[in-house]
Amino acid sequence: MGSQSKNRKSQCKPRSNVPHARSSSDKESSMWHTRAPSKKTNRPEVNKIDKFSWLLYIAVSVVLGTITFYYYQKYKNEVSVQTPLPSPKIIADNLTSAAVTPERFWGTYRPQNYFGMKTRSIQSAVVGLMWFTQSTVQGLPNIRHWCNQEDKLPRYTWLAHDGTHFGEQEIMDQTFILRTGFVKRSGGEHGGDWTASIRALPYGKKEDTNKKLLVSLLFYVALDGQGFIKEKLNKHGQMIGILF
């Protein structure tokens, strides 16, 4: 028994406190077994699927909304009942023609001009006035035609106007006054006849009124659209009317 215990003691070696050194092959094998396998992510493919789903959702929504709106409008038009009011029209279809209201066919319907006349029809002849003062200084004359604040006229206004038969206007320029007027006479198939008068009167200081002043007045006739204008002459060759 004593010899067996000795042999056992000799076989049992004391443990050392020094850590056991590992070989490089052991380290590699342990690292290989402990490392978790990498997972491949499919993020680009997922993003593509999400974008496609959104585009498909938007397209379907637009199509369904369009179809719904179409059938709603169709239903509303079929169901709604449109009953005209059983009363005469306030404004007739041909109210502006010379046959219905001849006294208002011609008039001063050119508010953008200092003086102008035209009819109430779509294709109308227009009549207007232009003027300028002759000057010895070379250059373009300052023509008055359109109502413009840059002309610096002291005043221009209608003194009297009944809207149908007559009107009188005063235009005050720098050194003279223009007085325009018109009178209409009913009759015929084209709204009757009318006559316009234009007078120029000097005003201002006495020394200015004594000076010679040359003013050119241009009374013109034109068309709003396409067409032609032809004068009407009497047997003496004098113009008594205009055809258009």
Side-chain angles (χ1 to χ4, degrees), residues 2-15:
S3 61
Q4 291 178 356
S5 62
K6 289 180 180 179
N7 292 333
R8 287 178 181 174
K9 290 180 179 178
S10 61
Q11 290 177 358
C12 295
K13 295 181 179 180
R15 290 183 179 182

Short mmCIF file of all heavy atoms in Angstrom, two decimals, residues 2-15:
data_model
loop_
_atom_site.label_atom_id
_atom_site.label_comp_id
_atom_site.label_asym_id
_atom_site.label_seq_id
_atom_site.Cartn_x
_atom_site.Cartn_y
_atom_site.Cartn_z
N GLY A 2 2.01 1.17 0.73
CA GLY A 2 2.87 2.36 0.78
C GLY A 2 3.49 2.64 -0.55
O GLY A 2 3.63 3.78 -0.96
N SER A 3 3.89 1.57 -1.27
CA SER A 3 4.49 1.78 -2.58
C SER A 3 3.49 2.31 -3.59
O SER A 3 3.80 3.13 -4.43
CB SER A 3 5.10 0.46 -3.08
OG SER A 3 4.09 -0.52 -3.20
N GLN A 4 2.22 1.92 -3.51
CA GLN A 4 1.20 2.42 -4.46
C GLN A 4 0.93 3.88 -4.25
O GLN A 4 0.76 4.63 -5.20
CB GLN A 4 -0.10 1.60 -4.28
CG GLN A 4 0.03 0.17 -4.75
CD GLN A 4 -1.23 -0.63 -4.53
OE1 GLN A 4 -2.20 -0.11 -3.95
NE2 GLN A 4 -1.21 -1.91 -4.94
N SER A 5 0.91 4.29 -2.98
CA SER A 5 0.65 5.72 -2.73
C SER A 5 1.78 6.58 -3.22
O SER A 5 1.59 7.69 -3.71
CB SER A 5 0.40 5.94 -1.24
OG SER A 5 1.55 5.58 -0.50
N LYS A 6 3.03 6.05 -3.11
CA LYS A 6 4.17 6.80 -3.62
C LYS A 6 4.10 6.95 -5.12
O LYS A 6 4.39 8.00 -5.67
CB LYS A 6 5.45 6.12 -3.22
CG LYS A 6 5.77 6.23 -1.73
CD LYS A 6 7.08 5.53 -1.40
CE LYS A 6 7.41 5.62 0.11
NZ LYS A 6 8.66 4.93 0.45
N ASN A 7 3.75 5.86 -5.77
CA ASN A 7 3.65 5.93 -7.23
C ASN A 7 2.59 6.93 -7.68
O ASN A 7 2.72 7.63 -8.66
CB ASN A 7 3.35 4.53 -7.80
CG ASN A 7 4.54 3.58 -7.61
OD1 ASN A 7 5.69 4.03 -7.54
ND2 ASN A 7 4.26 2.28 -7.50
N ARG A 8 1.47 6.99 -6.92
CA ARG A 8 0.39 7.92 -7.28
C ARG A 8 0.87 9.34 -7.10
O ARG A 8 0.56 10.23 -7.88
CB ARG A 8 -0.84 7.67 -6.41
CG ARG A 8 -1.55 6.40 -6.80
CD ARG A 8 -2.72 6.19 -5.86
NE ARG A 8 -3.42 4.95 -6.20
CZ ARG A 8 -4.43 4.42 -5.50
NH1 ARG A 8 -4.86 5.07 -4.41
NH2 ARG A 8 -4.99 3.28 -5.87
N LYS A 9 1.62 9.58 -6.01
CA LYS A 9 2.11 10.93 -5.77
C LYS A 9 3.09 11.35 -6.84
O LYS A 9 3.13 12.50 -7.24
CB LYS A 9 2.78 11.04 -4.42
CG LYS A 9 1.82 10.93 -3.26
CD LYS A 9 2.55 11.04 -1.94
CE LYS A 9 1.58 10.95 -0.77
NZ LYS A 9 2.29 11.02 0.54
N SER A 10 3.91 10.34 -7.29
CA SER A 10 4.87 10.67 -8.34
C SER A 10 4.16 10.96 -9.65
O SER A 10 4.60 11.75 -10.45
CB SER A 10 5.89 9.53 -8.49
OG SER A 10 5.23 8.35 -8.87
N GLN A 11 3.04 10.32 -9.89
CA GLN A 11 2.31 10.56 -11.15
C GLN A 11 1.58 11.89 -11.14
O GLN A 11 1.40 12.51 -12.16
CB GLN A 11 1.31 9.41 -11.38
CG GLN A 11 1.98 8.09 -11.72
CD GLN A 11 1.01 6.96 -11.86
OE1 GLN A 11 -0.21 7.16 -11.68
NE2 GLN A 11 1.50 5.74 -12.16
N CYS A 12 1.16 12.32 -9.97
CA CYS A 12 0.41 13.61 -9.87
C CYS A 12 1.39 14.73 -9.78
O CYS A 12 2.11 14.83 -8.77
CB CYS A 12 -0.49 13.59 -8.62
SG CYS A 12 -1.78 12.36 -8.71
N LYS A 13 1.51 15.52 -10.79
CA LYS A 13 2.41 16.66 -10.86
C LYS A 13 1.68 17.91 -10.44
O LYS A 13 0.52 18.09 -10.76
CB LYS A 13 2.96 16.82 -12.28
CG LYS A 13 3.83 15.66 -12.71
CD LYS A 13 4.35 15.88 -14.10
CE LYS A 13 5.24 14.73 -14.55
NZ LYS A 13 5.76 14.92 -15.89
N PRO A 14 2.38 18.78 -9.76
CA PRO A 14 1.71 20.04 -9.36
C PRO A 14 1.46 20.95 -10.56
O PRO A 14 2.25 20.98 -11.49
CB PRO A 14 2.72 20.66 -8.36
CG PRO A 14 4.04 20.07 -8.74
CD PRO A 14 3.77 18.67 -9.25
N ARG A 15 0.34 21.67 -10.45
CA ARG A 15 0.00 22.62 -11.54
C ARG A 15 0.84 23.86 -11.45
O ARG A 15 1.11 24.36 -10.35
CB ARG A 15 -1.47 23.00 -11.46
CG ARG A 15 -2.38 21.85 -11.81
CD ARG A 15 -3.81 22.33 -11.79
NE ARG A 15 -4.71 21.25 -12.15
CZ ARG A 15 -6.02 21.38 -12.24
NH1 ARG A 15 -6.57 22.56 -11.97
NH2 ARG A 15 -6.76 20.34 -12.59
#
